[in-house]
Structure formats: structure tokens, C-alpha cells
Amino acid sequence: MNVNVIKPLPITFKMVMDAYQKVRRGGKAVGIDGESWKKFDERLQDNLYVIWNRLSSGTYHPSAVRETEIPKKDGSMRKLGIPTLRDRIAQSVIKDYMEKRIDQHFHEHSYGYRPMKGSQHALEQVRKNCRQYDWVIDLDISKFFDEIDHELLMKAVEAMNEEKWVRMYVSRWLNMRVVDKEGKEQERGGRGTPQGGVISPLLANIFLHFSIDRWLGKNYPEISFVRYADDMVIHCKTKEQADAVLVAIKERLKQVKLRLNEKKTQVVYCKDYRRKNRYENVVFGFLGFSYRPRMSKSNKEVNRSYMVFAAEISKENQKRIRDSIKETVNWRITRMDITDIANSLNSKLRGWINYFGLFGKRELRRTMAYLDYRLICWLAKKHKFGSRLAMNKLSIIRKENPRLFYHWQKGLTAVIK
């Protein structure tokens, strides 16, 4: 296996190895070939060499993607396209190559799937903007990843001055066929990039950079916006300005062959102690958080409260966490030890708390209290206690081992003292 031979395209074996290590840490779902990571790793060097040899010579052709569905918040289903493991590695190679050259051109307030940027930066910027601007356009693009136009997307990729061979591979991935749940193979028809593809978020950023970000900057420099992939909020000074911008965006989306989801798109008033006008919509959601008027205590006067427009975990995610707590542990089994429950939940608790604890902990604390409630019920059943004795038992356990559950470590409990 000679990886030092000169190839027509500037792709090295190390680039493929680095891409494999990134993708290997991700999902385990298999593509249409059924190849698992365990099987792939049995001949790791040979498999990576084949990918490198074909990519670097321009002869790599992707397989079709396996279509699957996951439920959305509104009860509908979101389609995902699962590439093969080999296609994920190959896409990661090209994505990394492109990203190093074009990321600097993206707008500073585009945060999704970019190096050194993330959801917490986006959330913080929205928080700052809500203090400065009175109105928000909570924008929802209908079926963005399903309807993105290939011809326009390829023009956007070319406008980023990407090499011909890069465009060749992007085109091949865009035109991958889809195998549905019944096993039928379908053409894409010149639209869509599969959610689940490694390169899809970068392509989405390229498309929306030219379609929305630069367009807004050119035509409405006085407003501000925050975008995370296709999730976007736009901040305006006045209601009239928000209405005008929304009408213009609707027309702009038509020009780039996209559609506004009018049921989910709304203009929101950032009501607080300074903004006292009446308006129907005073709540919007972004990246799992709910921004709305909330009462906050004054730091200077202990007994005084005032209204702020702030973010906390959304009701949908509170329910999702409670459902996960309920389903992860078989609460009917009383022969297990409480440490078994902690071991099964702590990694999830850490993720939830580290993310949703970024802004406001009142609602998150109430959500974590549900876990304490389940523990009390479980202890009552295990020891045939009444609820008061079970609560006392849990209090003793917590005092003896305050780091047993991650939410105890962070002081997010409202049931036991």
C-alpha cells in the first residue's frame, strides 16, 4: 500500500485518516450496504486506502442514501438520508477541505456547524439583540433541506471560488439516489440535500449565505439577525420595519425557490419592564430555548421583581427530558441499586444541564425535580415506605453522596433539602 504516490487531486491519505477519526465518533447507523463500523475496522487500512485512492484520482462515486424518518416537534416526520460509512468519510474529507477555504467568507452571525462557533454563541447573540431591538421575526423556512435547488446551490459553490474537482464531488453527492423504506430507489429531481449527510450543513450555509445573509446585509443593514443552519431570527427596531422585512423575505425566498412556513413564522414583541405595549405574540423559540417575558428579582432590592425578556428551556424540551427519564430507567424494578439509576442517567443529565443551564435555571430546576420525584416513588416501592419516609431516605442518600446524580452536583433539586 503506497500512499506517497502522486495523484491528480490534492487529497492525501492523512486527510482520509483524519476524516475517518471524526466520523467514527459520530452515529452508528448503517447505509444501504449494511456495513457497520465493526466490519469496516476489520480491514481499516485497506478500506481507507481504497477511499483515498478513488477520491484522489477523481473516480469516487457515492452509493445511494438510505431514507429513514424521525418525529418532529409538531408530530410530523422529518426525512433523513443515511449515507454509507464510506460516503460519510469521503464527504468529511471534502467538507474539511472546503471549510478551510470558505469559512472566513460567512457572516459573523451565522453560527451553525462552523469551526469555533456553536449554539451557545448564537443563543448569547440573540439574548443581546433582544435587549437592543424591540421586535423579532421568528423565521421558519419550509422543508429547506428537502427543497434546496441544486442548480442554485452549485452556482453558490462556484461563487465561493471552489475548484472544478470539488464541484464535481459536490454534484455527485447532490445527485445521490434515495432508497425509501420499501426499498425503492428514487431520483432527487434536482432538489434537496439529505439531512444526515456530513457535507449537507456546509452546503446549507453556502446556499443561505448568498440567498439570505448577504441579501439582508445589503438591503437591510440597520437590522440584525442570528442564523444557525436554517433556524433564523431577525431583530428589528419597529413593528413596521419587521412587517416590511418579512414581506421582502417572503419574496426573496420565492426567488431562490424556497418557501416560507407561514404557520410557524411570526413577528414577536420583546416585552419587558421598558416595553409595555400590548401585542399578541410575545414568545418565540430558538435552539431548544423559549424567549419570553419573565419575572426576575432585583439585585439591589431583595423584595422587588421586574419583568425581563429572557430565555429558558422550552416546554417541549422539558417534556422530552421527563419522557427520557421515565423511559431510560425501568422504574418497576426494585432489586437494582440507586447507583444503577445514577449510572444510566448521569451522562444524559450532564448534557441537558450543561446546555439548558446556559440561560436561566428556574424551569430546568423544576424539570430536574421530576427525577427526584421518580426516585422518591421508586424508594417507596423498594422499601415499602410511605412518601414522607421515602423523601427522608432520599435526603439521607444525597447528604451521604451529594455527587451521585449530576443534577445534585449542580444544586438543581427542588424536592429534597
Side-chain angles (χ1 to χ4, degrees), residues 104-257:
Q104 61 183 318
H105 299 301
F106 289 143
H107 195 280
E108 61 175 330
H109 291 160
S110 167
Y111 295 92
Y113 306 100
R114 294 183 59 192
M116 308 304 293
K117 287 180 177 283
S119 55
Q120 65 185 72
H121 302 106
L123 290 161
E124 175 61 24
Q125 188 60 49
V126 171
R127 188 171 72 93
K128 291 178 180 178
N129 286 350
C130 286
R131 293 176 180 174
Q132 184 178 354
Y133 296 84
D134 292 1
W135 297 87
V136 164
I137 302 172
D138 181 13
L139 188 71
D140 190 280
I141 301 174
S142 181
K143 298 181 179 179
F144 170 73
F145 282 92
D146 294 334
E147 298 190 359
I148 186 171
D149 183 79
H150 289 182
E151 182 180 355
L152 292 177
L153 176 54
M154 289 306 302
K155 288 181 179 179
V157 172
E158 186 174 2
M160 284 289 187
N161 297 316
E162 282 305 293
E163 296 97 321
K164 185 177 180 179
W165 67 270
V166 172
R167 301 199 301 272
M168 173 189 72
Y169 277 130
V170 169
S171 178
R172 287 179 186 177
W173 278 309
L174 287 177
N175 289 292
M176 288 187 299
R177 295 190 173 194
V178 178
V179 177
D180 63 21
K181 292 185 294 184
E182 284 72 37
K184 297 179 181 178
E185 200 168 281
Q186 301 174 351
E187 298 280 356
R188 286 204 167 273
R191 294 191 309 167
T193 178
Q195 284 185 274
V198 175
I199 203 169
S200 293
L202 177 61
L203 298 181
N205 275 337
I206 293 172
F207 189 89
L208 290 172
H209 170 72
F210 289 103
S211 300
I212 300 295
D213 299 356
R214 291 211 332 178
W215 177 83
L216 279 173
K218 178 181 178 181
N219 293 281
Y220 299 96
E222 68 279 9
I223 62 96
S224 183
F225 70 86
V226 174
R227 184 172 64 77
Y228 192 95
D230 61 326
D231 289 334
M232 190 170 191
V233 289
I234 301 168
H235 302 265
C236 302
K237 288 289 187 180
T238 67
K239 174 70 162 55
E240 292 74 21
Q241 184 183 57
D243 289 338
V245 171
L246 182 54
V247 170
I249 286 177
K250 184 176 180 180
E251 186 60 33
R252 174 60 178 174
L253 289 177
K254 287 181 181 178
Q255 293 172 5
V256 296
K257 301 182 181 181

Side-chain angles (χ1 to χ4, degrees), residues 259-280:
R259 294 178 296 131
L260 191 70
N261 187 333
E262 300 198 41
K263 289 184 178 180
K264 293 184 178 180
T265 297
Q266 59 177 343
V267 173
V268 176
Y269 181 48
C270 301
K271 188 173 183 178
D272 62 13
Y273 71 95
R274 300 167 300 150
R275 304 154 174 159
K276 300 179 180 180
N277 294 334
R278 288 174 173 261
Y279 189 68
E280 180 182 6

